[in-house]
């Protein structure tokens, strides 16, 4: 961290000096430069933080053997380390539930319901993790759905149909009736036994890079929430902080940065992507 600041200090001084001397006609461009500079510096800090957080070494030497085994057992035995769904087959497939520090990528054909699957996972996490206790007991645990494809209105309509059942038209009900149905039939309420909130946020396609995951999480922390799972729809609609222009390489960077985010925040991250053209040909020919 010291080296990052040392190497970038002159550039920071230059940018802020330009800002102080600028007039209203040029200040906008300088603000954009400062924003990009700060984002890049934050990325470096986060990578350093991951290196520190993962600097855990296993050894059979007596002085460290007991400590590291105790730490690992405590971590693995935490009952809130994994988020279960109501689908026992899926829980078994992923080792008991969506686990903290891991990134999950579901891949499917266009139009098969990938966004619906993500929404259903959020809904099931809410329903099947009763009495969840966040790390900070003063905060409300929440699952975040960051949609970069469907608006909040579209996502809410789907959640309503999913929770209430059937092809229900929202326009046939008043707001009070909708809230009543969500609370009674859909079990979407907040109590000590069902404390997990669902936060839906929309951002346009390719409008944000992975640093926004931190911004969103930390903004919610300021509002009294603790994010326990981040769901992003979908991976190709988010940019990498590296500025990579090659689509294939950028996708790899995005996934790596999502994994880094999951590790730093100690939560699972779940996203989806399309099957590529080769995959489509294989499926079509089978």
């Amino acid at each position: 961290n010291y080296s990052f600041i040392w190497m970038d200090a002159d550039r920071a001084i230059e940018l802020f000096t330009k800002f102080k001397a600028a007039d209203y006609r040029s200040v906008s461009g300088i603000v954009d430069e400062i924003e990009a500079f700060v984002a890049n510096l934050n990325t470096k800090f986060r990578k350093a933080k991951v290196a520190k957080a993962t600097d855990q070494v296993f050894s059979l030497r007596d002085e460290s053997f007991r400590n590291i085994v105790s730490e690992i057992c405590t971590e693995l035995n935490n009952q809130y380390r994994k988020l279960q769904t109501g689908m026992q087959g899926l829980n078994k497939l992923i080792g008991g539930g969506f686990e903290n520090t891991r990134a999950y990528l579901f891949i499917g054909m266009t139009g098969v319901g990938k966004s619906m699957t993500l929404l259903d996972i959020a809904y099931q996490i809410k329903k099947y993790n009763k009495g969840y206790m966040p790390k900070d007991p003063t905060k409300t645990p929440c699952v975040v759905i960051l949609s970069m494809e469907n608006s909040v209105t579209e996502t809410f309509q789907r959640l309503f149909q999913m929770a209430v059942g059937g092809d229900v038209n929202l326009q046939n009900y008043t707001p009070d009736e909708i809230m009543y149905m969500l609370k009674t039939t859909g079990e979407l309420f907040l109590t000590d036994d069902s404390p997990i909130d669902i936060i839906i946020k929309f951002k346009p396609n390719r409008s944000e890079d992975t640093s926004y995951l931190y911004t969103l999480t930390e903004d919610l922390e300021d509002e009294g929430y603790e994010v326990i799972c981040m769901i992003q729809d979908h991976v190709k609609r988010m940019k990498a902080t590296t500025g990579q222009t090659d689509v294939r390489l950028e996708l790899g960077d995005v996934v790596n940065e999502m994994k880094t985010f999951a590790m730093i925040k100690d939560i699972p991250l779940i996203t989806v992507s399309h099957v590529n053209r080769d995959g489509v040909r294989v499926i079509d020919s089978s």
Side-chain angles (χ1 to χ4, degrees):
N1 286 347
Y2 300 151
S3 67
F4 296 150
I5 295 172
W6 177 262
M7 289 186 294
D8 291 335
D10 290 341
R11 176 60 175 160
I13 293 169
E14 176 192 345
L15 285 171
F16 284 104
T17 302
K18 281 173 62 178
F19 175 80
K20 292 283 285 184
D23 60 29
Y24 72 93
R25 290 169 296 185
S26 59
V27 71
S28 177
I30 298 171
V31 168
D32 290 342
E33 287 186 75
I34 292 174
E35 186 176 7
F37 170 81
V38 172
N40 181 259
L41 194 60
N42 274 332
T43 299
K44 294 177 181 178
F45 285 148
R46 285 167 184 145
K47 288 179 179 178
K49 191 180 292 184
V50 169
K52 185 177 180 181
T54 57
D55 188 21
Q56 190 180 48
V57 179
F58 175 81
S59 169
L60 295 177
R61 290 184 176 181
D62 288 340
E63 60 268 26
S64 61
F65 190 26
R66 176 174 294 276
N67 288 339
I68 190 64
V69 170
S70 296
E71 287 177 14
I72 291 172
C73 287
T74 299
E75 184 178 351
L76 294 179
N77 289 328
N78 184 348
Q79 64 174 312
Y80 302 117
R81 180 176 175 79
K82 295 181 180 180
L83 296 169
Q84 295 185 344
T85 69
M87 298 176 283
Q88 298 307 310
L90 177 60
N91 292 338
K92 185 176 181 180
L93 179 68
I94 59 178
F98 292 102
E99 188 172 357
N100 288 358
T101 76
R102 297 198 173 189
Y104 298 85
L105 175 65
F106 290 91
I107 300 177
M109 301 276 282
T110 300
V112 296
K114 295 185 295 298
S115 297
M116 285 290 288
T117 298
L118 290 181
L119 184 59
D120 187 36
I121 287 171
Y123 181 44
Q124 292 197 37
I125 288 174
K126 159 70 178 171
K127 287 185 66 175
Y128 295 102
N129 293 273
K130 300 295 185 183
Y132 185 94
M133 292 293 294
K135 301 180 187 72
D136 183 346
T138 67
K139 295 188 181 296
T140 300
C142 69
V143 177
V144 177
I145 301 171
L146 174 58
S147 175
M148 305 184 81
E149 185 168 56
N150 301 306
S151 69
V152 172
T153 299
E154 291 172 306
T155 305
F156 176 76
Q157 286 177 306
R158 290 177 171 184
L159 178 61
F160 179 75
Q161 292 174 346
M162 185 181 295
V164 174
D167 187 15
V168 185
N169 191 338
L170 276 169
Q171 295 172 322
N172 294 333
Y173 302 95
T174 67
D176 286 341
E177 289 172 332
I178 290 169
M179 288 188 290
Y180 178 79
M181 294 168 73
L182 288 174
K183 288 180 179 181
T184 54
T185 305
E187 300 180 44
L188 287 172
F189 48 73
L190 295 177
T191 63
D192 290 342
D193 186 52
S194 183
I196 300 174
D197 203 347
I198 298 176
I199 307 293
I200 302 171
K201 181 76 174 178
F202 171 76
K203 282 288 181 179
N205 179 36
R206 305 286 294 173
S207 62
E208 302 288 348
D209 61 35
T210 56
S211 66
Y212 179 70
L213 298 172
Y214 297 91
T215 300
L216 177 56
T217 301
E218 288 154 15
D219 284 348
L220 287 169
E221 288 170 359
D222 291 340
E223 295 175 22
Y225 284 105
E226 180 177 297
V227 177
I228 63 170
C229 180
M230 177 67 71
I231 297 176
Q232 187 269 338
D233 185 18
H234 60 79
V235 68
K236 290 183 179 178
R237 291 179 175 263
M238 179 159 272
K239 297 184 291 187
T241 61
T242 56
Q244 176 61 252
T245 56
D246 181 278
V247 175
R248 181 179 60 85
L249 296 177
E250 185 191 33
L251 184 58
D253 288 343
V254 169
V255 172
N256 287 334
E257 290 169 7
M258 285 181 167
K259 169 63 175 175
T260 298
F261 167 80
M263 293 178 68
I264 289 178
K265 293 301 181 182
D266 192 30
I267 62 173
L269 181 144
I270 310 167
T271 186
V272 293
S273 185
H274 300 302
V275 176
N276 64 19
R277 281 184 292 232
D278 289 340
V280 171
R281 281 197 291 270
V282 171
I283 293 171
D284 286 343
S285 64
S286 62

